[in-house]
Amino acid sequence: MSGVLHLLTLRDYAADEIESLIRDAVLLKKLRKLGLKRLNLLNGRSVAMIFEKPSTRTRASFTVAAYELGAFPVSYSSSELQLARGEPVKDVARVLARYHDLIAARVYRHEDLEELARYSGVPVVNLLSDKYHPLQALADYMTIFEKKGRLSGVTLAFIGDGTDNVFNSLAIAGVKLGVRIRVAAPREYMPSEELLGRDVLSRIEVYEDPEEAVRDADVVYTDVFVSMGQEKEREYRLKVFLPKYQVNSQLLRSVGREDFIFMHCLPAHRGEEVTDDVIESPQSVVFDQAENRLHTSKSVLLHLLVPEWRKYMREEPLQPDIR
């Protein structure tokens, strides 16, 4: 293990570390279903969560994850902190690190997360930035493993914005895990070497035609065309993406197999990037993805705060093989 202190992007994590996070999440989910909700492995600790953007799944899952592990979660909006009045990020980092054992933040600018990490004496977790969403990717690959029984060799087709923060994290982790990554995007929204790195970009398949991208795919994935902070671009983006890049029943007929799954990180703009009938179809696993945000959040908290946590379990549970 590389001993990474923070989780800002999965670019910093090796394949075996990502696999370990997913394995532990699978185990933690099993324990919770057995009634072991309160593991109390983080007793006496507290977690700070900063939210510059609205949140449903991230706020709920990370809060419950901290609570069920025994930590005290404290949520701050940027307006509740002095950040809204111009206090430097580096000062907030140094102050909160004196009170809390971990800082997690959902921000508009990834650079603010990097500054938090630079000045914090405790681990910093990316709850979403404009560039990456690592917690979502971990939950997604946990879900794919549950549904497909493997990750290596699985084909994932992402339809939409190839510069999207969710896609960036999916591609980075997927390449490391042996997943075949495809993306169908308009030319001006093709994946970025700056965000993915040359090694990742060279190993993904890029298309302009969604039908080519989804053919024989195990997983079809999409995200909103207009993310938070891009509202001024809404009209232009919808003209670029619609109707060609909408995931609908007509596009899914091009998959050519019945056992594919449909994924979306939510919230969905039904009728834009995806139709209602697709989200509600038997192939849709979007709410399994949402649930797994809880278990992967627990896994991340333990990885950063109590990496030896398994030693405190009475029995060593069965290790799932995610390869």
Side-chain angles (χ1 to χ4, degrees):
M1 303 288 260
S2 65
V4 175
L5 177 62
H6 309 293
L7 178 57
L8 306 185
T9 165
L10 293 169
R11 290 180 71 168
D12 300 329
Y13 278 62
D16 67 320
E17 291 175 302
I18 298 172
E19 291 169 359
S20 178
L21 286 168
I22 296 171
R23 277 198 304 269
D24 284 355
V26 171
L27 169 59
L28 289 160
K29 183 174 184 177
K30 290 179 179 177
L31 292 175
R32 193 175 193 265
K33 288 195 171 185
L34 290 171
L36 297 174
K37 281 189 175 182
R38 293 281 286 170
L39 296 181
N40 294 326
L41 293 165
L42 299 182
N43 264 1
R45 308 202 190 200
S46 68
V47 172
M49 297 177 292
I50 302 171
F51 289 92
E52 290 185 347
K53 296 182 175 185
S55 174
T56 299
R57 280 146 295 277
T58 299
R59 184 192 296 266
S61 61
F62 213 79
T63 300
V64 174
Y67 168 76
E68 291 190 357
L69 290 175
F72 179 58
V74 183
S75 180
Y76 304 95
S77 68
S78 56
S79 61
E80 291 172 326
L81 298 170
Q82 297 295 338
L83 281 170
R85 298 177 61 194
E87 184 172 15
V89 172
K90 61 184 179 182
D91 290 358
V92 173
R94 286 179 285 195
V95 169
L96 291 183
R98 301 291 180 104
Y99 307 144
H100 298 287
D101 297 280
L102 181 143
I103 300 171
R106 186 178 181 92
V107 299
Y108 283 101
R109 297 175 63 255
H110 189 76
E111 290 75 15
D112 289 340
L113 275 172
E114 294 174 331
E115 188 163 7
L116 273 173
R118 193 175 304 121
Y119 287 94
S120 169
V122 300
V124 173
V125 174
N126 179 359
L127 296 181
L128 177 143
S129 72
D130 57 330
K131 295 182 179 179
Y132 306 107
H133 199 353
L135 291 185
Q136 183 64 53
L138 290 171
D140 293 339
Y141 283 119
M142 176 184 175
T143 307
I144 293 170
F145 168 68
E146 288 180 325
K147 302 301 178 182
K148 295 296 177 182
R150 62 191 174 96
L151 291 176
S152 183
V154 166
T155 298
L156 184 152
F158 184 94
I159 311 301
D161 185 351
T163 67
D164 178 84
N165 51 8
V166 170
F167 172 72
N168 291 334
S169 291
L170 282 170
I172 289 165
V175 165
K176 294 183 180 189
L177 295 168
V179 176
R180 184 179 181 183
I181 301 292
R182 299 175 181 168
V183 56
R187 188 162 297 180
E188 61 192 287
Y189 293 102
M190 292 293 186
S192 160
E193 181 179 326
E194 176 189 355
L195 296 172
L196 298 182
R198 182 174 299 178
D199 180 57
V200 171
L201 186 60
S202 67
R203 295 166 65 185
I204 66 177
E205 302 171 33
V206 181
Y207 302 86
E208 285 189 66
D209 184 353
E211 292 187 2
E212 289 185 49
V214 303
R215 194 163 292 125
D216 294 321
D218 298 292
V219 181
V220 177
Y221 199 122
T222 193
D223 191 9
V224 295
F225 297 147
V226 185
S227 295
M228 289 179 286
Q230 298 173 339
E231 289 79 8
K232 292 181 180 179
E233 305 170 35
R234 176 176 173 78
E235 185 176 348
Y236 177 75
R237 281 176 164 265
L238 292 183
K239 285 181 180 178
V240 172
F241 286 104
L242 289 174
K244 183 175 180 178
Y245 294 94
Q246 183 185 79
V247 177
N248 51 41
S249 56
Q250 181 179 345
L251 175 63
L252 293 180
R253 281 195 286 270
S254 300
V255 174
R257 56 189 305 166
E258 296 182 357
D259 63 344
F260 76 92
I261 58 175
F262 169 74
M263 304 184 78
H264 192 305
C265 54
L266 300 181
H269 294 167
R270 300 183 186 215
E272 291 183 8
E273 76 277 2
V274 62
T275 54
D276 191 76
D277 61 316
V278 169
I279 282 200
E280 300 294 344
S281 70
Q283 289 82 17
S284 174
V285 297
V286 299
F287 297 108
D288 294 312
Q289 287 174 261
E291 178 190 345
N292 286 341
R293 290 292 307 276
L294 170 62
H295 312 300
T296 47
S297 293
K298 286 184 179 180
S299 181
V300 166
L301 284 166
L302 291 174
H303 172 76
L304 294 174
L305 295 176
V306 193
E308 71 285 1
W309 69 275
R310 286 175 175 271
K311 295 179 182 177
Y312 301 103
M313 305 301 292
R314 292 180 182 176
E315 295 182 25
E316 181 63 21
L318 183 65
Q319 294 268 359
D321 182 3
I322 69 166
R323 298 295 285 181

